[in-house]
Amino acid sequence: METIIKGKVIVLDNNIDTDQIYPGRFLEIVNPQEIGTYCLYGVDENIAKNFRKGDIVVAGTNFGCGSSREHAPIALLNMGAGLVLADSFARIFFRNSINLGLPLLVCKGISKVLADGDEIEVDIVEGTVKILKTGEILQADKIGEYAMSILEAGGIKPLFRERMKE
């Protein structure tokens, strides 16, 4: 797992729910790559088309609220999101994302500091966010040790598969 992620950001509002991240009308799709093409379709139908692999989603408060469907983090992963930074996350979305191997960091105020297209460099382990145009460094909440072990394994299933071998 890469622990330093550098990319351009797309900044979203507060209370982006799982139906905006991955609309329910696409739930019959089972191919993960195809799921990624509809990511954030409920916000703007062009986001996934213009998103580059490794870029970063930045949001306000309560990102991922709504249903507990795992399709939302699956869509973000398969759209190519390197990670998601937000002022806060809905609890179930946060846990689903970690379990699926999608890095998330809480960085209070991040959505007010960045604009679409800004480039940042994030150290997931240290929880630092460097704004490349200014050199400013922001401190995010660090990911806990167990959650980090899940991310490093690529998700909870690969972690437990590896542990079953031991």
Side-chain angles (χ1 to χ4, degrees):
M1 173 184 130
E2 289 186 42
T3 59
I4 306 291
I5 298 176
K6 182 178 175 183
K8 288 187 177 183
V9 303
I10 180 168
V11 181
L12 304 174
D13 291 329
N14 296 328
N15 301 309
I16 299 296
D17 65 38
T18 53
D19 203 51
Q20 290 174 288
I21 298 168
Y22 189 71
R25 67 181 182 258
F26 301 118
L27 288 176
E28 65 189 35
I29 298 170
V30 295
N31 179 296
Q33 287 75 31
E34 189 177 356
I35 288 171
T37 66
Y38 295 104
C39 188
L40 295 166
Y41 212 76
V43 175
D44 180 335
E45 295 177 5
N46 295 306
I47 290 174
K49 293 176 197 169
N50 299 317
F51 200 87
R52 291 184 343 214
K53 183 173 175 54
D55 280 349
I56 300 163
V57 175
V58 174
T61 58
N62 205 26
F63 186 77
C65 57
S67 77
S68 61
R69 71 174 68 141
E70 291 180 341
H71 291 76
I74 290 169
L76 287 159
L77 279 165
N78 286 284
M79 179 178 71
L83 81 138
V84 180
L85 289 165
D87 295 330
S88 66
F89 293 95
R91 184 186 61 79
I92 293 173
F93 174 82
F94 186 89
R95 193 58 201 205
N96 281 341
S97 297
I98 295 294
N99 286 345
L100 289 165
L102 176 64
L104 306 174
L105 286 174
V106 172
C107 188
K108 295 192 185 336
I110 192 78
S111 66
K112 306 285 188 277
V113 176
L114 297 174
D116 286 345
D118 283 349
E119 287 191 75
I120 61 174
E121 182 177 283
V122 180
D123 183 325
I124 295 173
V125 174
E126 296 301 319
T128 56
V129 179
K130 182 176 183 180
I131 303 170
L132 296 181
K133 71 180 177 185
T134 65
E136 181 181 4
I137 296 177
L138 306 171
Q139 184 63 53
D141 294 349
K142 289 185 181 182
I143 297 173
E145 188 177 316
Y146 184 64
M148 186 58 79
S149 70
I150 294 171
L151 290 173
E152 288 169 342
I156 194 114
K157 287 181 182 178
L159 175 70
F160 279 103
R161 280 189 202 111
E162 191 59 38
R163 286 186 177 175
M164 295 299 287
K165 291 178 188 176
E166 296 173 359

